[in-house]
Each structure stands twice: as structure tokens, then as C-alpha cells.
Amino acid sequence: MVSQAGEQLLQKTELFVRLLPDDFQCVCTLSEELTLPPGVTLFSPGETATRFYILIRGTVRVFKRKEGREEELALFTAGDTVGDFDFARQGRYDAFAETVEETDLICFPAARFSLADITRQYPSTMARVLLQSLAMIANRIRTTQRLISRNVPWVQELQRQAFEDPGTGLWNRTFFEEELPQMLSMPVGLIMTKPDRFKVLVDSCGHSAGDEAMVKIAALLQYLVRNYGKGWALRLKSNETALVLPGCSPTILRSMAEELYQRFLQIPPVGLPDGTTFTFSATVVYGLWGEEKKDSPALWKEYAQTVYDTLMNRWQEGGNGVYPAFPC
């Protein structure tokens, strides 16, 4: 729990500024205020970013160690937030953070809580915090790009961390929803796919088998993008993926959807513990956006949602085929 002054700081924090009152009170309950002496390490490179800190008083320095020497990256003082970007992207810290002097700060979540535990206990609140974190990441990337050349290596690395799915190397849903609409030139081919009976594989062989299968599926998508010469391969949710193909004709779009389906069928079968074999197939839905005069970047999300809804409907009906999102 935090003091009234601590609550005021939390309310100004980018991750919590738009939370509903009940959600915000939950965040306050899950936070704690600490007074730390100089030289205390808050986090180190490689550690999973399970919490972040808001300074009330004092100073924290962030630095890296290279060849026995320390390279100072930033100094944070009262009102600053430390580690929130790594926390928001659920990644790992890439530097050290250490108190310079006696420092009062707020820690979220408190040390006695694990992120997994509070997510299970307060799923709705943490879901809204996660949604706000995605918006924060996208906003910071856009702000950085306005200030600094996109070709600066550390900006490119920031983009990669924010927009890449760590399990497959595909572009992620945040990129699909926040950045991609600004980069599209019409017409755009959109192919969405979902493997059939995937739960059978995961329930029988474990999540590691599902992860391995997703890596193979990602390779199929990336191959098709390379072969087409442009576009994006994306992971939208757990096992739902997409291809976005700018400048695509109806004939090529249909052909690529068919090829993707055939390549799913060619993924090597997996032997199950009960002696049976899991063979791969997929539900593939495609649509061409930008043919109508009414189409505009502002309508991209609405169009993509329609294609996704068609995908899920076809998959629930049995899938295992290629379907147009808008039948003629």
C-alpha cells in the first residue's frame, strides 16, 4: 500500500493514468513504498522485468558495464519512472539500476507479489494495465522516431523489442494495430490463418510442442513474404497469424492463400503419446483491402476485424481449407 502522496505519483504514471478508479485502487494495494540506502541495485541486465520503480526522493543511476568499465546511461530523480518500458514489454532489463543516495521510491508490484500471482488474482485489472502498456510502447516508439533517425542502431533495436514476437521472430499484434496502418499503400492483401486441432497437439505433447510448431509456421509465412518481395508476416495471438501484402492483385492473393494452405499440409506429422499421429492443416481466410473508394487507413482495423471474425467462424465450422473473407 502507498501513501496519499504516493497515490498522486502513481496517478501520473503513464501505465496507470487512464485506469478506472477500482483498477487504480487495486494498483495502489499492490504497490509499496521503500526507503533505500546508497548503492542498492534495483535490477541487473538479463533479469526478467517483473517490476518497475517511481522515485519520490533521491537519485537512481542506470548504467552498463563494458570491459570492466562503467558507462552511465541516465540519472533519474524525483518523479521519474525507472524500468517501466522493460516491464511493459514483458522483456528483460538491459542495464543496471542503482541508488546513488538515500532514495524513497514506489515499487510496483511490491516485492511480496509475483507478477504471475497478481495476474491470476486480478485478471481484469492486469489486462487493462497490459493494454495501456501496449499503447505506451507504441507512443514512445513514435515519439523517438520523430526526434531521432530511424537508422540509429539503438532505435532499430528499440523497435525490434517492441514489435517483434519473441517466440517466432514475426511482427506482433501491437505492430499490426498501431504502426502498420500508417505504412500501408492500397490495395493490400490480407491473409489470416489458424491451425486446425492445435489444442490436440498441445494437450498431448505439451506447450513446447506447440512452440516448435509455431516456429515452423512462422518460417512458412516468412518464406512467402520473401518470395513475394515485400510485406509483413505477423503473429496476432497464440496460434493465429497473418500475412499483409501491399500492392497485391486478387489473383496473386488467392494463389498465396492456397500456397500457404498447401505448405501447412506439408509440415511433418507429430507422433502422439497414444500412438496416433497429428497431421497439420489450417483454416486460411483472405481478403483484398483498398479496392473500394470508401476504404481508408482509418478503416484498416475494422476491415482486419471482419477478416478475423470470418477466420474464427470458418475454423469453428471445421476449417481445413481456404476461404474468401467476402464471398462473391
Side-chain angles (χ1 to χ4, degrees):
M1 197 68 180
V2 296
S3 64
Q4 186 174 359
E7 286 191 16
Q8 292 174 352
L9 271 179
L10 283 171
Q11 282 181 321
K12 298 176 183 178
T13 303
E14 195 171 358
L15 273 174
F16 305 141
V17 69
R18 293 185 178 86
L19 289 183
L20 299 172
D22 288 348
D23 291 331
F24 180 72
Q25 285 306 310
C26 179
V27 166
C28 292
T29 301
L30 296 170
S31 303
E32 66 177 340
E33 292 186 19
L34 302 172
T35 298
L36 302 177
V40 173
T41 299
L42 301 181
F43 53 76
S44 302
E47 294 179 353
T48 302
T50 55
R51 48 187 44 86
F52 67 95
Y53 307 87
I54 307 163
L55 273 65
I56 302 172
R57 176 184 65 89
T59 307
V60 168
R61 70 185 185 112
V62 174
F63 62 95
K64 290 186 176 182
R65 291 193 178 120
K66 292 184 178 180
E67 299 176 353
R69 300 176 60 184
E70 292 185 356
E71 177 186 348
E72 193 163 285
L73 302 177
L75 284 176
F76 294 86
T77 57
D80 290 337
T81 305
V82 184
D84 58 335
F85 183 82
D86 293 317
F87 176 87
R89 67 182 181 85
Q90 300 178 29
R92 296 181 182 275
Y93 302 114
D94 59 1
F96 294 92
E98 181 182 87
T99 56
V100 176
E101 56 188 333
E102 185 176 85
T103 300
D104 297 332
L105 50 76
I106 299 171
C107 175
F108 177 84
R112 64 184 181 277
F113 299 119
S114 74
L115 193 56
D117 288 341
I118 63 175
T119 300
R120 283 193 296 268
Q121 192 171 355
Y122 306 100
S124 298
T125 296
M126 291 308 295
R128 284 186 278 272
V129 170
L130 177 59
L131 286 173
Q132 182 58 29
S133 73
L134 297 178
M136 184 192 83
I137 290 170
N139 181 60
R140 289 194 184 181
I141 291 292
R142 284 194 291 270
T143 301
T144 300
Q145 290 173 348
R146 285 196 294 267
L147 296 174
I148 303 174
S149 168
R150 295 172 70 113
N151 295 323
V152 175
W154 72 266
V155 175
Q156 293 178 333
E157 175 62 13
L158 193 64
Q159 286 181 300
R160 185 193 66 77
Q161 292 177 359
F163 296 139
E164 181 182 284
D165 174 63
T168 61
L170 299 177
W171 295 99
N172 63 20
R173 186 175 180 178
T174 305
F175 176 81
F176 181 78
E177 294 181 344
E178 301 292 339
E179 293 296 306
L180 190 57
Q182 306 172 55
M183 304 165 67
L184 296 176
S185 57
M186 297 182 282
V188 180
L190 177 59
I191 301 173
M192 290 189 178
T193 183
K194 183 176 179 67
D196 301 320
R197 311 176 316 282
F198 202 72
K199 191 174 185 296
V200 173
L201 175 64
V202 174
D203 288 349
S204 300
C205 299
H207 287 284
S208 60
D211 293 341
E212 291 176 11
M214 287 307 302
V215 170
K216 294 175 182 177
I217 292 169
L220 301 183
L221 297 168
Q222 290 165 332
Y223 167 80
L224 289 173
V225 168
R226 287 195 303 271
N227 197 43
Y228 181 64
K230 54 186 175 181
W232 298 269
L234 308 104
R235 186 177 189 177
L236 302 179
K237 291 187 178 179
S238 60
N239 59 28
E240 293 145 22
T241 55
L243 290 174
V244 177
L245 308 166
C248 195
S249 70
T251 302
I252 291 176
L253 179 62
R254 168 76 189 192
S255 175
M256 291 188 69
E258 292 280 5
E259 182 177 356
L260 178 57
Y261 173 74
Q262 291 298 324
R263 288 185 177 275
F264 259 93
L265 300 181
Q266 294 168 15
I267 297 176
V270 177
L272 303 181
D274 63 2
T276 61
T277 300
F278 178 86
T279 56
F280 286 87
S281 67
T283 305
V284 180
V285 171
Y286 65 93
L288 190 62
W289 177 73
E291 288 188 303
E292 303 292 336
K293 291 183 179 180
K294 64 181 180 180
D295 289 335
S296 69
L299 298 175
W300 167 250
K301 285 186 180 180
E302 181 181 331
Y303 181 85
Q305 185 63 49
T306 300
V307 176
Y308 178 78
D309 290 343
T310 304
L311 173 72
M312 296 306 296
N313 289 337
R314 290 293 190 178
W315 177 78
Q316 289 168 357
E317 292 168 358
N320 192 16
V322 180
Y323 308 93
F326 305 96
C328 299

